[in-house]
Short mmCIF file of all heavy atoms in Angstrom, two decimals:
data_model
loop_
_atom_site.label_atom_id
_atom_site.label_comp_id
_atom_site.label_asym_id
_atom_site.label_seq_id
_atom_site.Cartn_x
_atom_site.Cartn_y
_atom_site.Cartn_z
N LEU A 17 88.07 95.31 117.03
CA LEU A 17 87.49 95.74 115.76
C LEU A 17 87.90 97.19 115.52
O LEU A 17 87.72 98.05 116.41
CB LEU A 17 85.98 95.62 115.82
CG LEU A 17 85.19 96.19 114.64
CD1 LEU A 17 85.52 95.44 113.36
CD2 LEU A 17 83.69 96.14 114.93
N VAL A 18 88.41 97.46 114.33
CA VAL A 18 88.84 98.82 113.99
C VAL A 18 88.48 99.09 112.53
O VAL A 18 88.44 98.16 111.71
CB VAL A 18 90.35 98.99 114.25
CG1 VAL A 18 91.16 98.06 113.35
CG2 VAL A 18 90.79 100.42 114.10
N GLN A 19 88.22 100.34 112.22
CA GLN A 19 87.91 100.72 110.85
C GLN A 19 89.17 100.80 110.00
O GLN A 19 90.27 101.03 110.54
CB GLN A 19 87.19 102.07 110.82
CG GLN A 19 85.80 102.03 111.42
CD GLN A 19 85.06 103.34 111.25
OE1 GLN A 19 85.66 104.38 110.98
NE2 GLN A 19 83.75 103.30 111.41
N PRO A 20 89.05 100.62 108.71
CA PRO A 20 90.23 100.80 107.83
C PRO A 20 90.87 102.16 108.06
O PRO A 20 90.17 103.17 108.20
CB PRO A 20 89.62 100.68 106.43
CG PRO A 20 88.42 99.81 106.61
CD PRO A 20 87.86 100.19 107.95
N GLY A 21 92.20 102.15 108.10
CA GLY A 21 92.94 103.37 108.38
C GLY A 21 93.21 103.60 109.85
O GLY A 21 93.99 104.50 110.21
N GLY A 22 92.59 102.81 110.70
CA GLY A 22 92.76 102.96 112.14
C GLY A 22 94.01 102.29 112.67
O GLY A 22 94.82 101.74 111.90
N SER A 23 94.15 102.32 113.99
CA SER A 23 95.33 101.78 114.65
C SER A 23 94.95 100.89 115.82
O SER A 23 93.89 101.08 116.44
CB SER A 23 96.22 102.92 115.17
OG SER A 23 96.67 103.76 114.13
N LEU A 24 95.83 99.95 116.11
CA LEU A 24 95.74 99.12 117.31
C LEU A 24 97.15 98.85 117.80
O LEU A 24 98.10 98.85 117.00
CB LEU A 24 95.05 97.78 117.01
CG LEU A 24 93.54 97.73 116.85
CD1 LEU A 24 93.12 96.32 116.42
CD2 LEU A 24 92.84 98.12 118.13
N ARG A 25 97.25 98.61 119.09
CA ARG A 25 98.53 98.16 119.65
C ARG A 25 98.33 96.84 120.36
O ARG A 25 97.56 96.75 121.31
CB ARG A 25 99.13 99.18 120.61
CG ARG A 25 100.55 98.81 121.01
CD ARG A 25 101.21 99.84 121.89
NE ARG A 25 100.81 99.75 123.27
CZ ARG A 25 101.53 100.19 124.31
NH1 ARG A 25 102.69 100.76 124.08
NH2 ARG A 25 101.08 100.08 125.53
N LEU A 26 99.04 95.83 119.90
CA LEU A 26 99.00 94.51 120.52
C LEU A 26 100.13 94.39 121.53
O LEU A 26 101.21 94.96 121.34
CB LEU A 26 99.13 93.41 119.47
CG LEU A 26 98.13 93.45 118.31
CD1 LEU A 26 98.36 92.22 117.42
CD2 LEU A 26 96.71 93.50 118.80
N SER A 27 99.87 93.63 122.59
CA SER A 27 100.88 93.37 123.61
C SER A 27 101.06 91.87 123.77
O SER A 27 100.09 91.11 123.66
CB SER A 27 100.46 93.96 124.95
OG SER A 27 100.30 95.36 124.87
N CYS A 28 102.28 91.47 124.04
CA CYS A 28 102.60 90.08 124.35
C CYS A 28 103.39 90.10 125.65
O CYS A 28 104.52 90.58 125.69
CB CYS A 28 103.41 89.46 123.23
SG CYS A 28 104.00 87.79 123.59
N ALA A 29 102.78 89.59 126.70
CA ALA A 29 103.41 89.59 128.02
C ALA A 29 104.00 88.23 128.33
O ALA A 29 103.36 87.20 128.11
CB ALA A 29 102.39 89.98 129.08
N GLY A 30 105.24 88.23 128.83
CA GLY A 30 105.91 87.01 129.22
C GLY A 30 106.60 87.21 130.54
O GLY A 30 106.96 88.32 130.90
N ALA A 31 106.81 86.12 131.26
CA ALA A 31 107.39 86.22 132.59
C ALA A 31 108.90 86.07 132.54
O ALA A 31 109.45 85.54 131.58
CB ALA A 31 106.80 85.14 133.49
N GLY A 32 109.55 86.57 133.55
CA GLY A 32 110.97 86.32 133.74
C GLY A 32 111.89 86.99 132.74
O GLY A 32 112.98 86.49 132.49
N SER A 33 111.46 88.12 132.17
CA SER A 33 112.30 88.85 131.21
C SER A 33 112.76 87.95 130.07
O SER A 33 113.88 88.05 129.59
CB SER A 33 113.52 89.45 131.91
OG SER A 33 113.14 90.36 132.91
N ILE A 34 111.86 87.07 129.64
CA ILE A 34 112.23 86.10 128.61
C ILE A 34 112.69 86.76 127.33
O ILE A 34 113.56 86.26 126.63
CB ILE A 34 111.05 85.14 128.35
CG1 ILE A 34 111.49 84.03 127.39
CG2 ILE A 34 109.86 85.90 127.80
CD1 ILE A 34 110.46 82.94 127.23
N PHE A 35 112.11 87.93 127.04
CA PHE A 35 112.43 88.57 125.78
C PHE A 35 113.86 89.10 125.74
O PHE A 35 114.36 89.47 124.68
CB PHE A 35 111.43 89.69 125.50
CG PHE A 35 110.00 89.24 125.53
CD1 PHE A 35 109.10 89.80 126.42
CD2 PHE A 35 109.56 88.23 124.69
CE1 PHE A 35 107.78 89.38 126.47
CE2 PHE A 35 108.24 87.80 124.72
CZ PHE A 35 107.34 88.38 125.62
N ARG A 36 114.47 89.18 126.92
CA ARG A 36 115.86 89.64 126.96
C ARG A 36 116.80 88.62 126.31
O ARG A 36 117.84 88.97 125.77
CB ARG A 36 116.28 89.86 128.41
CG ARG A 36 117.75 90.20 128.61
CD ARG A 36 118.09 90.31 130.07
NE ARG A 36 117.31 91.32 130.77
CZ ARG A 36 117.33 91.51 132.09
NH1 ARG A 36 118.09 90.75 132.84
NH2 ARG A 36 116.61 92.44 132.64
N PHE A 37 116.40 87.36 126.37
CA PHE A 37 117.31 86.30 125.96
C PHE A 37 117.01 85.71 124.59
O PHE A 37 117.89 85.11 123.97
CB PHE A 37 117.31 85.19 127.00
CG PHE A 37 117.67 85.65 128.37
CD1 PHE A 37 116.72 85.74 129.38
CD2 PHE A 37 118.98 86.02 128.66
CE1 PHE A 37 117.06 86.18 130.64
CE2 PHE A 37 119.33 86.46 129.93
CZ PHE A 37 118.37 86.54 130.92
N TYR A 38 115.76 85.87 124.13
CA TYR A 38 115.35 85.18 122.91
C TYR A 38 114.67 86.12 121.94
O TYR A 38 114.09 87.13 122.33
CB TYR A 38 114.39 84.04 123.26
CG TYR A 38 114.94 83.05 124.25
CD1 TYR A 38 114.36 82.87 125.49
CD2 TYR A 38 116.08 82.29 123.94
CE1 TYR A 38 114.87 81.97 126.41
CE2 TYR A 38 116.58 81.39 124.85
CZ TYR A 38 115.98 81.24 126.08
OH TYR A 38 116.49 80.35 126.98
N SER A 39 114.72 85.75 120.67
CA SER A 39 113.99 86.51 119.66
C SER A 39 112.50 86.27 119.81
O SER A 39 112.05 85.19 120.20
CB SER A 39 114.44 86.07 118.26
OG SER A 39 115.80 86.37 118.06
N THR A 40 111.74 87.29 119.49
CA THR A 40 110.28 87.24 119.57
C THR A 40 109.70 87.69 118.24
O THR A 40 110.27 88.55 117.57
CB THR A 40 109.77 88.18 120.67
OG1 THR A 40 110.44 87.89 121.89
CG2 THR A 40 108.27 88.03 120.88
N ALA A 41 108.58 87.10 117.87
CA ALA A 41 107.96 87.47 116.61
C ALA A 41 106.44 87.49 116.74
O ALA A 41 105.87 86.83 117.62
CB ALA A 41 108.37 86.50 115.50
N TRP A 42 105.83 88.27 115.88
CA TRP A 42 104.39 88.25 115.71
C TRP A 42 104.06 87.53 114.40
O TRP A 42 104.68 87.82 113.37
CB TRP A 42 103.81 89.66 115.67
CG TRP A 42 103.79 90.33 117.01
CD1 TRP A 42 104.74 91.17 117.53
CD2 TRP A 42 102.76 90.23 117.99
NE1 TRP A 42 104.36 91.60 118.77
CE2 TRP A 42 103.15 91.04 119.10
CE3 TRP A 42 101.56 89.55 118.08
CZ2 TRP A 42 102.38 91.17 120.24
CZ3 TRP A 42 100.78 89.68 119.21
CH2 TRP A 42 101.19 90.49 120.28
#
């Protein structure tokens, strides 16, 4: 929960360096 104007950082963790080989999206 954050107020308008605030910030958050989301993380997506995957194993085996998967992001090296494939596109990722939110």
